């Protein structure tokens, strides 16, 4: 009898040990110590649907990069896509003195104020003391330098088209211009046709690139010089200026446009779109480095339409807000075809336009 009891006790002990082993084995396979806490066949009441991110807690875990993770959904819009800090135009891939101007040795030409009247004229490799007044079609100025004391550096007259100004330095002699010692336009379009200006180094002129339509790309506009005009007032200064009423498109793309003139001496804008002669329409301002002026950008005002301002850097090199009073004004937020996207300050902060012109 005693032997039978000992045998039964041994079998009972073996059964208990086997049951314990099974429990531990299941816990190891499921990752939980309590089988009731394991996964269920479907979502329970109050649980998130499949694919829903888990809710964040008051004390988020560190992100993989080592910086603190944020609670809530990730940011969207310009703040999410804005690049990091840009220290200077050249360091951030924008035009400067090293990427603009002539690429070949120059021959001196003391022309004075020259009129170009032959279609298809090509001026290449000239170091010009004077200015060019263009009364012809399809004129090209390339790999040259113009130092003017006239109202303009290059002026396209009404009725003519096809002017290209490429890889050229256009500057002036401060204090020697006809407007009470000042000069006004590096490249001007008095007519209704488009001009291409590309890879040019432009300085001194009060309103450097003045046209209602054209293709302005890869230029370096800098060191505008303030002066009092013949009326005794400070001349308004703009790196790019357009007076509206244009019939074609104006594209301003991948330029460095600086207006470091003090506001009390006439600074207006890096890009000034003004309805002086008509409604501003069909303008692209994209991927530029903009700095200075009262506002870095004047957006066309009431009635402006088809204005696309995208991917620009509003630099703080002259003012904390890019312009003395802010980055942008006169933006017609409700205008048909007007687009504002991915614009930011040089420190990466997004730039949002005012909601009213």
């Amino acid at each position: 009898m005693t032997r039978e009891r000992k045998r039964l006790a041994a079998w009972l002990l073996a059964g208990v040990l086997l049951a314990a082993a099974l429990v531990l084995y299941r816990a190891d396979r499921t990752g939980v110590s309590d089988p009731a806490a394991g996964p269920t066949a479907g979502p329970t009441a109050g649980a998130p649907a499949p694919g829903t991110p888990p809710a964040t807690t008051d004390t988020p875990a560190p992100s993989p990069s080592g910086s603190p993770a944020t609670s809530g959904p990730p940011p969207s819009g310009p703040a999410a896509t804005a690049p990091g800090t840009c220290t200077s135009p050249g360091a951030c891939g924008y035009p400067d003195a090293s990427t603009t101007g002539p690429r070949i040795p120059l021959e001196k030409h003391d022309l004075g104020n020259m009129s170009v009247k032959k279609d298809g004229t090509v001026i290449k490799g000239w170091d010009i003391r004077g200015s060019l007044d263009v009364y012809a079609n399809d004129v090209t100025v390339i790999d040259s330098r113009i130092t003017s004391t006239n109202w303009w550096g290059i002026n396209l007259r009404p009725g003519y088209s096809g002017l290209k100004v490429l890889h050229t330095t256009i500057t002036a002699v401060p204090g020697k211009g006809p407007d009470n010692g000042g000069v006004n336009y590096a490249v001007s379009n008095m007519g209704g046709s488009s001009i291409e200006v590309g890879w040019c180094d432009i300085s001194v002129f009060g309103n450097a690139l003045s046209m209602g339509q054209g293709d302005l790309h890869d230029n370096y506009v800098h060191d505008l010089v303030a002066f009092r005009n013949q009326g005794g007032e400070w001349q308004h200064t703009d790196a790019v200026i357009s007076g509206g009423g244009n019939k074609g498109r104006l594209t301003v793309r991948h330029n460095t446009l600086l207006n470091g003139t003090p506001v009390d001496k006439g600074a207006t804008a890096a890009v000034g779109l003004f309805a002086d002669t008509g409604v501003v329409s069909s303008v692209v301002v994209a991927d530029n480095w903009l700095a200075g002026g009262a506002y870095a950008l004047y957006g066309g005002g009431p009635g402006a339409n088809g204005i696309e301002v995208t991917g620009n850097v509003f630099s703080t090199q002259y003012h904390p807000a890019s312009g003395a009073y802010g980055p942008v004004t006169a933006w017609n937020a409700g205008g048909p075809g007007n687009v504002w996207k991915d614009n930011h300050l040089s420190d990466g902060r997004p730039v949002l336009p005012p909601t009213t012109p």
Side-chain angles (χ1 to χ4, degrees), residues 5-275:
R5 287 179 180 177
K6 287 182 179 181
R7 184 178 297 173
L8 179 59
W11 279 108
L12 289 174
L13 178 60
V16 169
L17 291 174
L18 179 60
L22 289 173
V23 169
L24 290 174
Y25 175 76
R26 292 181 62 189
D28 181 66
R29 291 292 301 271
T30 61
V32 295
S33 59
D34 181 0
T40 58
T44 58
T52 303
T56 57
T57 63
D58 292 336
T59 308
S63 65
S65 64
S67 58
T70 56
S71 60
S76 60
T81 59
T85 300
C86 278
T87 56
S88 68
C92 297
Y94 289 95
D96 61 12
S98 69
T99 58
T100 55
R103 302 163 294 178
I104 60 176
L106 305 181
E107 179 184 342
K108 289 187 177 180
H109 290 261
D110 194 355
L111 301 178
N113 302 323
M114 174 184 175
S115 294
V116 180
K117 296 185 176 180
K118 182 180 178 180
D119 289 354
T121 296
V122 176
I123 294 174
K124 182 175 182 179
W126 289 19
D127 186 354
I128 299 170
R129 298 285 297 187
S131 64
L132 301 177
D133 203 3
V134 179
Y135 294 84
N137 297 311
D138 302 319
V139 171
T140 298
V141 181
I142 186 169
D143 287 313
S144 296
R145 177 183 175 90
I146 296 172
T147 304
S148 175
T149 57
N150 198 2
W151 293 95
W152 55 77
I154 303 175
N155 184 39
L156 180 65
R157 291 290 179 169
Y160 300 94
S161 64
L163 175 63
K164 294 183 179 182
V165 185
L166 309 172
H167 297 286
T168 292
T169 294
I170 308 172
T171 188
V173 182
K176 299 295 184 179
D179 194 354
N180 200 27
V183 291
N184 287 284
Y185 312 112
V187 183
S188 174
N189 181 2
M190 298 178 67
S193 64
S194 179
I195 300 176
E196 181 184 358
V197 183
W199 304 285
C200 290
D201 183 325
I202 298 169
S203 61
V204 180
F205 292 90
N207 290 298
L209 297 173
S210 175
M211 60 196 67
Q213 58 198 54
D215 184 7
L216 311 178
H217 63 88
D218 301 288
N219 300 293
Y220 175 44
V221 182
H222 59 102
D223 293 309
L224 307 184
V225 175
F227 64 93
R228 292 186 187 272
N229 59 27
Q230 291 181 347
E233 300 175 342
W234 286 107
Q235 169 67 36
H236 288 193
T237 59
D238 303 88
V240 171
I241 184 171
S242 179
N246 53 301
K247 296 181 180 179
R249 179 178 291 274
L250 175 63
T251 300
V252 184
R253 188 184 301 276
H254 199 248
N255 303 278
T256 297
L257 304 173
L258 310 180
N259 186 353
T261 307
V263 173
D264 61 357
K265 293 185 178 180
T268 306
V271 175
L273 307 178
F274 304 109

